[in-house]
């Protein structure tokens, strides 16, 4: 595949069929995997499939993106681990924290990450947001306390530049939104998405908000190659804040070396590590889970080796709707079994039963 072909062509030619993918990879079809791929469909762009193949069946990219037999074990875990559906206040708009809201204009992604906290909701169809946008705008305009809007999904960069322009223009017109953040996995999965039209869009809207941020979801330095560096480099001189968010994942980046390599790579790309998420207790994704005590010990090693401005915040979404809070406990690694919720209550935290 040509490197400079449009991202939509690469998107359209992504692997969705397990047998085709296995033929391409040249690996054995493991028993039970077909039923996993039926329950949780795969979606892997060809460029990513080439990287997975180069790394091999035991590589971190295979672990992140290929179906695994552990996914079929749904005896533990939650379908909606962070419980944000209760805060849906207008079409595609989740308002949970006073000053910020999430806008989710699509449930379509450039890849299906096997650990995804929305894996029980992801939709392979093009159900892009449509007719009810006026109601979303009306809610935002009636809630001027919302000063930051986070575009997430799915992945908002699945939308065309024109569609994104329509939304950003409407948000800028409101006059109450100071900060806009775009959460996306495209820069590392399908870097061609950072095309000339997107660069124009950032130039156009970077000054219309106090901050415009692109927050790249990236979990391992092996997701980053020359093409990713070059495309992200196109944004560097623009009025945009480049951030990164990472999910701590068993078997992917649960080592000091993997996390440090990733943070250092991000820093050299001028991307600021922003969040390190403790994994969610998602049904079908518990093989990626690790206990909080282990996460805290790893985070401590990062604290010792990174400057404060390059240290991501280690956060956990307390299951069942208690919200996102700091996961690091500087006084003790030993986890007491309770977390302090955003309201200041002590919340019992049950670790899931992990099957090795
Ligand atoms: S890109 Fe994000 S929303 Fe989409 S599958 Fe991956 S983690 Fe989930």
């Amino acid at each position: 595949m040509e490197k400079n072909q449009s991202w939509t062509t690469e998107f359209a030619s992504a692997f969705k069929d397990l047998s085709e993918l296995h033929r391409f990879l040249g690996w054995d079809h493991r028993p039970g995997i077909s039923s996993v791929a039926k329950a949780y469909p795969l979606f892997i762009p060809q460029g990513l499939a080439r990287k997975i193949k180069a790394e091999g069946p035991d590589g971190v990219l295979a672990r992140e993106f290929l179906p695994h037999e552990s996914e079929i074990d749904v005896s533990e875990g939650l379908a909606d681990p962070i419980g944000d559906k209760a805060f849906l206040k207008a079409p595609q708009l989740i308002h949970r924290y006073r000053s910020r809201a999430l806008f989710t204009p699509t449930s379509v992604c450039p890849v299906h990450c096997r650990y995804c906290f929305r894996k029980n909701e992801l939709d392979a169809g093009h159900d892009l947001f449509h007719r009810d946008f006026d109601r979303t705008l009306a809610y935002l305009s009636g809630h001027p306390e919302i000063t930051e809007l986070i575009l997430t999904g799915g992945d908002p960069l699945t939308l065309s530049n024109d569609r994104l322009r329509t939304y950003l223009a409407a948000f800028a017109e409101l006059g109450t939104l100071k900060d806009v953040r775009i959460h996306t996995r495209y820069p590392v999965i399908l870097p061609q998405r950072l095309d000339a039209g997107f660069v124009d869009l950032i130039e156009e809207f970077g000054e219309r908000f106090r901050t415009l941020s692109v927050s790249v979801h990236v979990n391992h330095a092996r997701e980053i190659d020359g093409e990713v560096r070059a495309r992200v480099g196109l944004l560097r001189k623009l009025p945009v804040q480049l951030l990164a968010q990472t999910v701590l994942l068993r078997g992917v980046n649960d080592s000091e070396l993997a996390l440090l390599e990733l943070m250092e790579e991000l820093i050299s790309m001028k991307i600021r590590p922003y969040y390190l998420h403790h994994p969610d207790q998602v049904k079908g994704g518990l093989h990626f889970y690790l206990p909080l005590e282990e996460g805290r010990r790893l985070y401590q090693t990062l604290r010792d080796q990174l400057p404060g401005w390059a240290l991501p915040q280690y956060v956990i979404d307390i299951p069942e709707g208690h919200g996102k809070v700091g996961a690091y406990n500087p006084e003790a690694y030993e986890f007491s079994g309770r977390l302090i919720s955003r309201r200041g209550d002590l919340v019992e935290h049950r670790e899931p039963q992990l099957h090795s």
Side-chain angles (χ1 to χ4, degrees):
M1 186 164 298
E2 295 300 318
K3 265 188 172 174
N4 57 359
Q5 75 176 14
S6 85
W7 70 273
T8 48
T9 310
E10 171 121 9
F11 184 95
S13 65
F15 287 103
K16 302 175 206 61
D17 180 86
L18 190 63
S19 310
E20 264 178 44
L21 177 67
H22 279 143
R23 260 198 302 284
F24 169 81
L25 295 172
W27 300 337
D28 287 340
H29 201 120
R30 292 211 299 266
I33 291 296
S34 308
S35 52
V36 175
K38 264 193 202 116
Y40 301 117
L42 70 93
F43 191 92
I44 301 182
Q46 297 204 9
L48 176 61
R50 285 196 293 277
K51 287 199 218 173
I52 295 173
K53 184 174 181 174
E55 221 202 340
D58 298 321
V60 293
L61 299 179
R63 180 147 174 98
E64 283 191 274
F65 304 115
L66 295 190
H68 189 278
E69 49 268 32
S70 304
E71 290 175 69
I72 219 68
D73 177 5
V74 291
S75 55
E76 280 277 320
L78 302 160
D80 175 17
I82 68 170
D84 60 3
K85 290 290 138 47
F87 301 91
L88 192 68
K89 297 296 167 71
Q92 321 296 116
L93 194 83
I94 293 167
H95 185 196
R96 177 180 202 165
Y97 307 120
R98 188 176 185 280
S99 63
R100 59 189 189 274
L102 300 180
F103 177 54
T104 61
T106 176
S107 62
V108 181
C109 293
V111 68
H112 285 181
C113 311
R114 309 311 294 187
Y115 54 85
C116 177
F117 72 106
R118 294 211 190 280
K119 72 183 290 173
N120 295 283
E121 305 161 28
L122 282 179
D123 189 335
H126 270 268
D127 63 334
L128 301 186
F129 186 71
H130 43 274
R131 43 185 193 275
D132 290 327
F133 188 48
D134 286 347
R135 284 170 53 208
T136 307
L137 283 178
Y139 184 87
L140 287 169
S141 112
H143 290 266
E145 73 275 17
I146 300 174
T147 55
E148 182 179 30
L149 191 67
I150 298 159
L151 274 63
T152 180
D155 194 316
L157 262 60
T158 302
L159 305 180
S160 68
N161 293 322
D162 284 347
R163 182 63 71 102
L164 283 171
R165 178 172 283 107
T166 304
Y167 290 141
L168 290 174
F171 296 141
E173 281 298 304
L174 286 174
T176 49
L177 294 173
K178 295 180 183 164
D179 306 301
V180 167
R181 208 189 316 161
I182 301 174
H183 281 186
T184 178
R185 211 154 176 10
Y186 271 92
V188 286
I189 299 298
L190 226 165
Q192 300 92 319
R193 177 63 188 89
L194 305 183
D195 57 10
F198 185 71
V199 167
D200 289 348
L201 201 68
I202 295 290
E203 263 179 334
E204 186 179 335
F205 287 95
E207 304 290 3
R208 292 189 67 184
F209 300 101
R210 179 172 65 181
T211 59
L212 178 62
S213 306
V214 171
S215 180
V216 182
H217 173 168
V218 54
N219 300 327
H220 198 285
R222 285 193 210 141
E223 293 174 22
I224 297 167
D225 61 9
E227 171 79 351
V228 173
R229 287 187 202 99
R231 292 283 177 164
V232 170
L234 298 175
L235 303 182
R236 220 176 272 146
K237 293 205 174 112
L238 304 178
V240 65
Q241 177 172 227
L242 297 176
L243 305 171
Q245 49 179 332
T246 296
V247 188
L248 183 60
L249 297 168
R250 165 78 76 217
V252 174
N253 57 13
D254 56 335
S255 73
E256 177 183 344
L257 183 67
L259 288 171
L260 265 180
E261 268 179 13
L262 173 61
M263 299 310 151
E264 289 190 352
E265 175 71 60
L266 292 171
I267 296 163
S268 50
M269 290 168 73
K270 316 276 192 236
I271 299 177
R272 187 172 161 218
Y274 178 40
Y275 274 143
L276 177 66
H277 297 271
H278 192 73
D280 293 310
Q281 299 184 20
V282 63
K283 226 180 235 312
L286 281 183
H287 51 301
F288 289 105
Y289 191 84
L290 62 160
L292 256 172
E293 276 184 34
E294 213 178 312
R296 287 174 172 183
R297 285 180 194 282
L298 277 169
Y299 188 70
Q300 174 66 23
T301 64
L302 290 188
R303 271 174 62 106
D304 287 346
Q305 297 180 71
L306 291 172
W309 53 264
L311 186 71
Q313 295 180 46
Y314 179 34
V315 291
I316 178 170
D317 252 296
I318 306 180
E320 299 175 342
H322 293 285
K324 185 183 282 144
V325 298
Y328 181 62
N329 174 1
E331 281 77 38
Y333 301 124
E334 274 173 41
F335 180 44
S336 68
R338 294 194 291 181
L339 289 164
I340 301 171
S341 80
R342 297 179 72 85
R343 290 199 312 267
D345 311 325
L346 278 176
V347 178
E348 295 294 330
H349 176 79
R350 191 181 74 88
E351 296 281 27
Q353 292 256 309
L354 300 177
H355 311 289
S356 57

